[in-house]
Amino acid sequence: MKTKTQLRLIIILLVVTGLGAAIYKNQVLGFSFSPDAKVDTWTVEAKITFEADGGPVKVSLNQADNTANMSVLNHETVGDNYLETTESNGSGEDRTVWSKDAAQGKQVIYYRVSAYQKDNKSHRKAIPAEEANASEITFSGAAKEAASLLIKQVKKKAGDDPAAIAQTLIQDLNVADKAHVKMMQQNLAGTGSYLDLTCGLLIKSGVHAAKVKVLFLNDESRKQKLSNLIQIFDNHRWLLIDPRSGELKTDSNFILWQTGEGSTFEVVGGTNSAITFSINTSKMMAGRAAVEAGKNSGAALIDFSIYSLPLAEQNTFKLLLLIPLGALVVVILRNLVGIQTAGTFMPILIALTFIQTSLLWGLVLFLVVVSVGLVMRSYLSHLNLLLVPRISAVLVFVIVIFVAISVFSIKMDFEQGLQVTFFPMIIISWTIERMSVLWEEEGPHDVMVQGGGSLFTACIVYLVMTNKFLGHLTYSFPELLLVLLAIILIIGSYSGYRLTELRRFEPMTKEH
């Protein structure tokens, strides 16, 4: 395979991988491309109360689940000396279980869940729930024929649209004067509740349907209860529908608390049990909410990323992830524009210093240190020292200059001078040595060109690295560095003229 072909394949792979991972984090995990984006965060507190009989107690509560519009951030519980465990019911839903060897009198247990509302309402993978066994919905005698007749009439009116079928079916069930409807309603003993009847008929109609318990999120609401609804799948997404009115619930502020059969909570060893819900809302940065939700759900891009590191290390990587941006600026200015610098990546190190000192005072301190260092280095050139001792002497001079500037600034109540210690001493020493040798071999003009080019490049790198939007992208979407690497590889294969060379070769384009 030719080298150019290999390079093109590598570039395509880097771009696809980087952009694909970033889009996935944005669409699926909820990361925002905006550094100032905030999301609504809801805190729901479930209060369970009961009277303990004096013996062993076991309390279980179904945990809130992620939905297409809401993502759970964390779960917290508070109970007086209760042992807390988590059990799975085998259908993907978990229950929190509290147990105690002995309890007497009134008991109170709190379960708190935090969730945030995502901007994207359709990111969740739309897979219908396993279809219920329709044979469990039994009708006796004529009721069976009545159910078939009702379903036939509904499909004739609504066609194949699941939402239309559900609404039409519920509307027909509410018409009590129809004989076949009365017959099915009288047969509720064989089908269970009205909710079971509706859900069973929907399943027989070919609609994916399931009974759910939903908590609608109303701000500052207290003593709220779960709503018993039906969830249907319309081939693209899940919809909530009221089994009594047929109304589609368009409100996106809800938490899906339970799907299918079973009790929401159970108390063994107590009586007079009850559960109430309190709700409040607040704002949270979208990035933080996405990280918390990803950790709670075990997302691989969160568990195996910088977000799993301690906070101090994360702050370190925030700065390190900016360096590739500086490298891209240097590559563009050197290879495409043609600006000369003293050293390849010295401008990046100087720009990192400017981040600590501010741009203006960083430039002033840099010029002072380098200017004084060049004067001292010019004296050393007359002593005919060897390379290593000479550079070591320059390093000592640089440290002395740092000390002198710091002491002088303190005495003059000029605290900005203390920021000189942020400059990398080794790099400054090498810069002074390179400029001094360049002065002796090429003259002051080349020193000004390379020195000025280095400072100009450092300033551009500083402006790029301190850009809030770019800083957010590199930290929240570090996989975009693969795209940045692809751009560097593209520039690396460029062999044409630089911008500064166009003027140089302009006379060759003129007709004589």
Side-chain angles (χ1 to χ4, degrees), residues 14 78 90 92 104 113 118 121 188 195 199 241 255 275 278 295 299-300 309 383 451 501:
L14 291 174
V78 177
Q104 180 69 47
V113 59
K118 299 178 179 179
K121 303 297 188 303
L188 285 180
L195 189 66
C199 191
I241 189 168
I255 291 181
I275 183 170
S278 301
K295 289 180 178 179
L309 299 176
L383 302 180
E501 294 175 335

Side-chain angles (χ1 to χ4, degrees), residues 59-85:
V59 181
S60 62
L61 172 67
N62 206 73
Q63 292 184 358
D65 195 9
N66 293 320
T67 59
N69 61 306
M70 301 293 292
S71 184
V72 174
L73 298 175
N74 55 58
H75 305 266
E76 298 176 333
T77 64
V78 177
D80 185 18
N81 296 323
Y82 277 89
L83 176 64
E84 178 189 344
T85 57

Side-chain angles (χ1 to χ4, degrees), residues 17 25 64 82 134 142 208 243 440:
T17 303
K25 289 176 68 173
Y82 277 89
H208 290 285
E440 294 173 354

Side-chain angles (χ1 to χ4, degrees), residues 267-284:
V267 176
V268 178
T271 58
N272 300 325
S273 60
I275 183 170
T276 56
F277 298 90
S278 301
I279 305 168
N280 60 50
T281 183
S282 60
K283 292 286 186 179
M284 179 183 289

Side-chain angles (χ1 to χ4, degrees), residues 11-316:
I11 290 172
I12 293 174
L13 179 62
L14 291 174
V15 172
V16 171
T17 303
L19 288 180
I23 293 173
Y24 174 83
K25 289 176 68 173
N26 174 258
Q27 296 295 312
V28 177
L29 300 183
F31 282 78
S32 174
F33 290 120
S34 172
D36 298 320
K38 293 184 178 181
V39 293
D40 292 323
T41 304
W42 302 85
T43 301
V44 179
E45 185 177 82
K47 180 181 179 181
I48 301 174
T49 58
F50 63 95
E51 293 288 338
D53 298 335
V57 173
K58 182 178 180 180
V59 181
S60 62
L61 172 67
N62 206 73
Q63 292 184 358
D65 195 9
N66 293 320
T67 59
N69 61 306
M70 301 293 292
S71 184
V72 174
L73 298 175
N74 55 58
H75 305 266
E76 298 176 333
T77 64
V78 177
D80 185 18
N81 296 323
Y82 277 89
L83 176 64
E84 178 189 344
T85 57
T86 300
E87 296 180 354
S88 178
N89 60 7
S91 61
E93 293 186 339
D94 295 330
R95 293 179 71 90
T96 300
V97 179
W98 298 270
S99 58
K100 183 186 284 190
D101 292 336
Q104 180 69 47
K106 185 176 181 180
Q107 303 291 308
V108 180
I109 296 177
Y110 292 95
Y111 168 82
R112 179 178 295 178
V113 59
S114 296
Y116 81 96
Q117 185 176 17
K118 299 178 179 179
D119 293 332
N120 190 342
K121 303 297 188 303
S122 60
H123 68 275
R124 190 185 181 194
K125 192 173 183 181
I127 298 179
E130 183 178 353
E131 198 168 339
N133 186 356
S135 63
E136 294 180 358
I137 311 300
T138 58
F139 297 95
S140 59
K144 183 177 181 180
E145 293 297 328
S148 299
L149 177 61
L150 177 61
I151 292 172
K152 184 177 180 180
Q153 292 176 349
V154 167
K155 283 192 172 183
K156 186 176 180 180
K157 295 178 184 178
D160 296 327
D161 181 31
I165 291 175
Q167 290 182 299
T168 304
L169 176 64
I170 293 173
Q171 290 171 4
D172 285 0
L173 284 175
N174 288 330
V175 181
D177 58 348
K178 291 186 177 181
H180 55 281
V181 174
K182 287 182 179 180
M183 193 172 298
M184 283 182 296
Q185 291 179 349
Q186 292 171 359
N187 196 59
L188 285 180
T191 59
S193 66
Y194 182 85
L195 189 66
D196 294 314
L197 172 63
T198 305
C199 191
L201 289 172
L202 284 173
I203 293 172
K204 282 183 174 293
S205 303
V207 177
H208 290 285
K211 297 184 296 182
V212 294
K213 293 184 179 180
V214 170
L215 181 68
F216 287 99
L217 302 174
N218 299 317
D219 192 17
E220 307 300 333
S221 176
R222 293 182 178 274
K223 295 185 178 181
Q224 185 142 340
K225 296 182 179 180
L226 297 176
S227 300
N228 293 301
L229 302 175
I230 292 178
Q231 185 176 231
I232 62 173
F233 189 72
D234 71 345
N235 300 323
H236 299 287
R237 56 178 179 164
W238 288 102
L239 300 174
L240 291 178
I241 189 168
D242 191 320
R244 288 290 181 180
S245 65
E247 176 189 2
L248 287 175
K249 297 294 185 178
T250 58
D251 187 2
S252 60
N253 294 339
F254 68 87
I255 291 181
L256 182 65
W257 208 277
Q258 185 175 345
T259 303
E261 302 292 339
S263 59
T264 304
F265 80 105
E266 295 180 351
V267 176
V268 178
T271 58
N272 300 325
S273 60
I275 183 170
T276 56
F277 298 90
S278 301
I279 305 168
N280 60 50
T281 183
S282 60
K283 292 286 186 179
M284 179 183 289
M285 297 303 296
R288 179 187 168 193
V291 171
E292 293 295 329
K295 289 180 178 179
N296 182 66
S297 62
L301 283 180
I302 303 298
D303 283 345
F304 298 94
S305 67
I306 60 175
Y307 311 114
S308 61
L309 299 176
L311 189 59
E313 281 68 23
Q314 288 189 36
N315 291 331
T316 300

